[in-house]
Every structure is written in structure tokens, then in C-alpha cells.
Amino acid sequence: MDAAMVDRLAAGEGWALLQSLPPYDEDGSLHLQGRLREAGFAADLVAAAMTQSRLRSRGTEKFGDFAAGMLFTSDGLEQSTRLAIAARHAHRYAAAGVRDVYDLGCGLGADAMAFAGLDLTVHAVDADDTTARVAAVNLRHWPSARVTHGLAEDVRLPQGEGRRHLGLWLDPARRVTGVADISGRTKRVFSLDAISPSWSQVLDFAAQVPATGAKLSPAFPHGSVPSGAEAQWTSWHGEVLECAVWWGPLVATAGRTAAVCTETSTSVVTDQDAVDGGQRPGLGSVTDIGEWLYEPDRAVIRAGLTGALVAAVDGAELATGVGYVSSGVARELPWARRFRVVEAMPLSTKRLARWLRDHGHDRVTIKKRGVTLDADLLRRQLKMTGRGKGGSEATLVLTRVGGGQVALVVTPA
């Protein structure tokens, strides 16, 4: 979809067509396209409208009812901030007394929508003309939001008194321009130097405006967290979505933090929570494993804060970096799952297969961390085909303890 097609879809015949479409149905899409062309709509407009219908259907998961009135691009939808997470971003700015936000690299406008929803004045900028026009459509209901096409580096920021209540939000592009794959997505980049604007340019912005935030990849390296800033890894129902770096008055807790989010709750884990547990050694052998096994949320692991779980349950990590924590204490935590350890043994295919058969299991769910085994191959070697009569399923955790590989049979608490 190019800029001209965005304009056609956003007004008159195009918008009327788009709003008249029924809920997207993949099986019936070709038939519907044929009917629309027979009704006199241009083929390219029909194709674009059907693409938008499909993307709106996908976008509902991130944007809820708002998706029905939005335009999308494939890359933009994949990279856009979930509206619930964008609201958390916006509240940081509002709580810090920011009134004007420059959203540099606004994409489809998800964060800008959240800023505008809190009555902040939003200056949204995107380097791609098509994307900027899409964002303008998505922000049309908020008079306080304005979208322009341009490079973040070329934006002239207010000076003097105009900076008193100024905030910056940067979402550097993490995909290269050029040929897309069959789904319409372009190639992702991972280097901080390859994002646009680059990490060094983001740091320059933060030096100019104290209230600066930047949305970065969950792979953001711990060693790159600026002094005095907060790097927060955020998950949604266990999926790590981003690492956002905050400066100045937007910092809640300096250092590395993790936000574990669902529709109904948010739990934040910090460096301070991990102090008491961060220096405890891992277990020595499989015989040291306690009654309970804990698995922290992935955001906690990404943030390097497994020590917070060690401290919270008075336990020990099975081995440095694996994330699993053993304890004799049963405790409910909103940011960790608890399992009862049924059996713990050094990893031996024959021994494990015999134990599973003896206990009536004919299929397994395999969780692994810190080992390189192929789970599907192991399942075949264990002959866990699920074809037995009356058998049950076992949950296996394959990981490391004391330098060796171990297999744990567990049940959710």
C-alpha cells in the first residue's frame, strides 16, 4: 500500500467500502472480492480494502474496538505497541508533568493515541510517508495530535520556555527498507547501530531533553543501560514485547526492571528486589533440588532479575543463567509459576523412559532451558507417542544443575 492508496482508503468511496465490509473471513475473501468488483469498485481499491480488513481482524488483539476504525500496514501492526502498554508509557509522561510529547518514529500511532488520550499535545513524526499518513488517519479523532512526515534527526525541538514541559518518545525502526517477504514484512535488524535513529542519536536526544523514553528490542544488552536511566523489560501474558529505556523524570527505579502485565494486573520487579538473591550460588547436584520449582516470567529473566525470585522464595537457581529456581517454600507470586517436583534425575534417556512407563505416562510436554537437546527427537527416543491406552501426560523440565544435565518431572501447583 502506497501513500496514494492510503488517501483513497481514508476518504469517500474507499472509507465507505472499508466500513461496509463484514468481519474478515479468510475462506470467503476471494468470493467477496469478486462480488465487490462486480459491483463496480476498482480492483486495486478492493484488494487494498480486503487487506485492511484482514489487518484489522489481527489488530483487534492489540487495539480492541479501536482497530475497527484504524488503518494498518503489515510491518506497522507487528511493531506497534499494544494499546495497554502504550497507556503505561503515556502515564509516565503525564505523571512527570510533561504536556507536549514529540513522538519520533510514531509508526501507526499507537503510543501517540495513548498520549493524546491523556490530553497531551502530540507531535508525531515518521520517516515513511505512507506510515505517516496511516498514523494521521488513526489520530484524526484527537485535535491535540499532529502527524508529519520526516526524519527524527531533522525535527526542530522547542527551545527555552518551550522545553519546560517537553517530553520525547523514540521508537527507532528495527526493520530495513526494501523487499518484503511473502507476508509483507521486511527484514529485522538487531544491532543498536543499525536501528534508525541509531542508539548514539537516541542518547543525543536524551542529553537534550531530560524527559526522554525509547522503545527498544527485548534483546537490548544490559551493558548498554545508561547511568541513572531505567531499562524496563515488559511482558504481556508471558511474551516479552519490548525493553523501554527511560531518562530523567520518567525514571521510576534506576537500573534494570521488569514489568509483568496482563489485562488485570501489573507487577514490577527491580534490581533492589534481586539484591539478596543475586549472589547466592546455584545448586551443587540434582539431590539438592527442593520440593518446589519456580519459573520466573520471561521479562524477569530478560532483565537479569532471577535473583529477585531466589530472594522471594528463599531458594537457589538451579544453575547460573537458567532461570529455574528451587525452593522448599510454597509461595504465590504474580510474576512466577510454581511447580511441584515429582522426580529429579540426571538426564538419561533410558532411565527417564523407564520411569515414565512405570508411572503410566505415554506422552510428555517438554520445557527446556540451558540445554541443547532437540525436544522432538527426545520425545521419539522416549517413545512417548500418546498412543497408549489410558496413559497420562507428564511435564518434563530439562535443564542444568551443578554442571550436568538433569530431567525433572513436575506438576503445576
Side-chain angles (χ1 to χ4, degrees):
M1 183 171 66
D2 58 17
M5 182 55 73
V6 175
D7 292 342
R8 289 174 66 189
L9 284 171
E13 180 187 43
W15 189 256
L17 170 61
L18 190 54
Q19 296 304 98
S20 71
L21 295 177
Y24 185 74
D25 175 22
E26 182 68 34
D27 293 335
S29 62
L30 287 177
H31 176 67
L32 179 57
Q33 288 185 60
R35 285 175 45 207
L36 293 172
R37 288 195 297 268
E38 289 174 1
F41 292 103
D44 60 343
L45 185 63
V46 169
M50 292 300 298
T51 296
Q52 286 303 309
S53 181
R54 174 174 54 83
L55 293 174
R56 281 180 170 183
S57 177
R58 287 171 46 198
T60 301
E61 202 267 331
K62 279 189 174 184
F63 295 94
D65 293 341
F66 282 98
M70 297 174 66
L71 293 183
F72 296 99
T73 64
S74 294
D75 276 355
L77 177 56
E78 181 177 348
Q79 298 175 72
S80 61
T81 305
R82 179 180 293 274
L83 208 53
I85 305 302
R88 297 190 72 249
H89 297 160
H91 279 287
R92 286 218 189 209
Y93 288 89
V98 172
R99 298 176 188 169
D100 302 292
V101 180
Y102 276 72
D103 184 348
L104 306 181
C106 67
L108 302 182
D111 285 289
M113 290 167 63
F115 296 142
L118 293 183
D119 296 325
L120 303 180
T121 300
V122 183
H123 308 267
V125 180
D126 200 90
D128 181 73
D129 186 27
T130 299
T131 302
R133 295 189 189 211
V134 169
V137 173
N138 295 338
L139 287 161
R140 66 196 181 283
H141 298 301
W142 289 276
S144 65
R146 180 173 59 89
V147 183
T148 57
H149 168 223
L151 296 175
E153 303 90 308
D154 295 336
V155 172
R156 289 190 175 185
L157 299 174
Q159 302 296 319
E161 186 65 20
R163 289 205 174 185
R164 175 172 295 200
H165 300 288
L166 179 65
L168 296 185
W169 173 245
L170 297 107
D171 187 354
R174 295 187 294 278
R175 287 188 177 275
V176 298
T177 57
V179 178
D181 63 19
I182 192 171
S183 65
R185 293 173 296 184
T186 50
K187 184 179 179 181
R188 189 187 298 270
V189 298
F190 296 96
S191 167
L192 287 176
D193 292 331
I195 61 177
S196 180
S198 69
W199 178 236
S200 62
Q201 290 169 325
V202 172
L203 293 175
D204 287 341
F205 278 116
Q208 296 177 55
V209 179
T212 293
K215 176 183 172 181
L216 301 163
S217 163
F220 183 75
H222 294 175
S224 295
V225 180
S227 176
E230 176 183 2
Q232 183 167 93
W233 281 260
T234 298
S235 68
W236 181 262
H237 287 278
E239 179 187 1
V240 187
L241 302 179
E242 66 179 30
C243 174
V245 180
W246 306 99
W247 285 265
L250 302 178
V251 172
T253 304
R256 289 176 280 113
T257 66
V260 179
C261 304
T262 67
E263 292 92 348
T264 58
S265 67
T266 295
S267 300
V268 177
V269 181
T270 71
D271 274 338
Q272 287 89 329
D273 299 321
V275 168
D276 291 339
Q279 302 303 316
R280 298 188 193 184
L283 298 182
S285 71
V286 69
T287 58
D288 296 328
I289 293 176
E291 180 181 3
W292 301 104
L293 181 75
Y294 290 84
E295 180 183 23
D297 184 89
R298 289 185 178 90
V300 176
I301 297 174
R302 283 279 196 172
L305 299 177
T306 303
L309 179 56
V310 172
V313 301
D314 191 25
E317 193 171 8
L318 269 59
T320 302
V322 300
Y324 291 116
V325 172
S326 172
S327 174
V329 176
R331 185 161 296 163
E332 296 300 322
L333 297 169
W335 44 273
R337 296 181 64 191
R338 177 165 59 94
F339 301 86
R340 184 185 294 276
V341 179
V342 177
E343 182 68 21
M345 66 184 81
L347 181 55
S348 162
T349 303
K350 290 184 178 179
R351 179 177 173 182
L352 181 57
R354 183 169 59 250
W355 189 96
L356 291 169
R357 287 195 302 270
D358 289 347
H359 288 79
H361 300 298
D362 63 2
R363 57 193 184 279
V364 292
T365 294
I366 298 176
K367 300 165 65 68
K368 65 188 184 78
R369 188 174 296 131
V371 298
T372 57
L373 291 174
D374 183 301
D376 290 333
L377 175 60
L378 178 63
R379 190 176 283 107
R380 292 193 296 271
Q381 292 173 336
L382 294 172
K383 298 181 180 179
M384 292 288 106
T385 63
R387 297 173 183 171
K389 295 182 179 179
S392 59
E393 183 173 16
T395 299
L396 303 181
V397 174
L398 310 179
T399 186
R400 291 183 292 107
V401 173
Q405 297 184 114
V406 300
L408 311 181
V409 183
V410 301
T411 58

